[in-house]
Amino acid sequence: KDEDSITQYSLKLHHFDAIGPLETTKLLLKIAGGTYTESTYKATVQNGRPSCPELDAAAEKGYLAASFGNLPMLEVHRSTLAKDHTKDFNAVYKVGGVRPIERYVARLHGLMGDDDAEGAQIEGICDFIKEIKDTFAKIKAIQVDRKREESIKKWFATDLKPWLLKLEASLKAMEISTSRTGYAVGTRISL
């Protein structure tokens, strides 16, 4: 970090007009006191598939190329001004994908631990939780209602417990004591 300059960030979240994957990012921004604007896309379902002409047009123009033609996307406007006002640097860059956006925002606002080791522990925990969510998502995607209901009941009755035991064992193995600090990693709130 250059002590002879001041850097400011302006964040814009592009996402579908629904509660969903960016809620963690929005929560991080709220906790950190960060500000952002939003651009939302309304999708409809046609023939069992989502449809969003506005998104298709943006992708066709290359606007969403940095996010692989998909949402969500974070647009970052960074302005750096030298304290002596001799240099002014402006950049716009885009980040695609739920997890990279979460991690970028967490790092930007100091919510990824106090050092690289804590950051790696946080990322490991986040990745494992994503595995749990992905496993449950497969159960929710079962097409036959009765089988889906039975599978969901089984998930909460028996299948989820081994995942949670692994998570608990991992936290202990990393020598992280939630009773010591009240936080899963380090001494303050993080992703």
Side-chain angles (χ1 to χ4, degrees):
K1 294 182 178 179
D2 187 354
E3 293 181 14
D4 294 326
S5 64
I6 299 168
T7 302
Q8 295 180 323
Y9 296 88
S10 172
L11 307 178
K12 186 173 187 178
L13 295 170
H14 298 266
H15 59 92
F16 286 110
D17 186 19
I19 293 174
L22 284 182
E23 299 314 304
T24 300
T25 298
K26 291 177 183 182
L27 183 60
L28 289 169
L29 287 162
K30 181 74 170 171
I31 289 166
T35 60
Y36 64 95
T37 58
E38 296 179 82
S39 176
T40 58
Y41 295 80
K42 186 152 184 81
T44 58
V45 177
Q46 295 176 354
N47 299 325
R49 302 192 73 202
S51 172
C52 182
E54 184 183 11
L55 177 66
D56 295 341
E60 205 171 287
K61 291 177 185 174
Y63 187 72
L64 300 173
S67 62
F68 312 101
N70 281 316
L71 294 177
M73 180 179 74
L74 173 66
E75 186 176 336
V76 180
H77 294 257
R78 182 180 67 201
S79 299
T80 303
L81 178 64
K83 286 186 181 176
D84 63 5
H85 300 282
T86 58
K87 297 182 212 166
D88 187 10
F89 174 75
N90 294 303
V92 177
Y93 52 98
K94 299 172 183 175
V95 179
V98 174
R99 306 300 166 247
I101 292 171
E102 286 175 356
R103 291 171 185 177
Y104 172 80
V105 167
R107 281 187 187 89
L108 181 65
H109 291 288
L111 300 173
M112 279 298 283
D114 289 331
D115 56 32
D116 289 341
E118 286 183 4
Q121 289 174 328
I122 291 165
E123 289 197 44
I125 293 166
C126 289
D127 286 353
F128 187 73
I129 291 170
K130 179 163 182 345
E131 283 185 54
I132 295 170
K133 289 176 160 182
D134 289 348
T135 302
F136 183 61
K138 290 177 187 172
I139 292 167
K140 291 191 326 184
I142 294 172
Q143 297 297 315
V144 180
D145 288 342
R146 182 178 217 174
K147 185 174 181 186
R148 181 176 53 245
E149 288 175 24
E150 290 170 5
S151 297
I152 289 172
K153 284 179 185 174
K154 183 177 180 284
W155 169 259
F156 286 108
T158 60
D159 296 350
L160 178 58
K161 186 175 181 176
W163 288 95
L164 297 179
L165 291 172
K166 284 182 186 180
L167 178 59
E168 183 178 41
S170 178
L171 292 172
K172 287 178 183 175
M174 287 189 271
E175 297 181 16
I176 299 169
S177 171
T178 56
S179 62
R180 177 175 49 97
T181 66
Y183 300 99
V185 175
T187 59
R188 59 193 164 91
I189 197 164
S190 64
L191 175 62

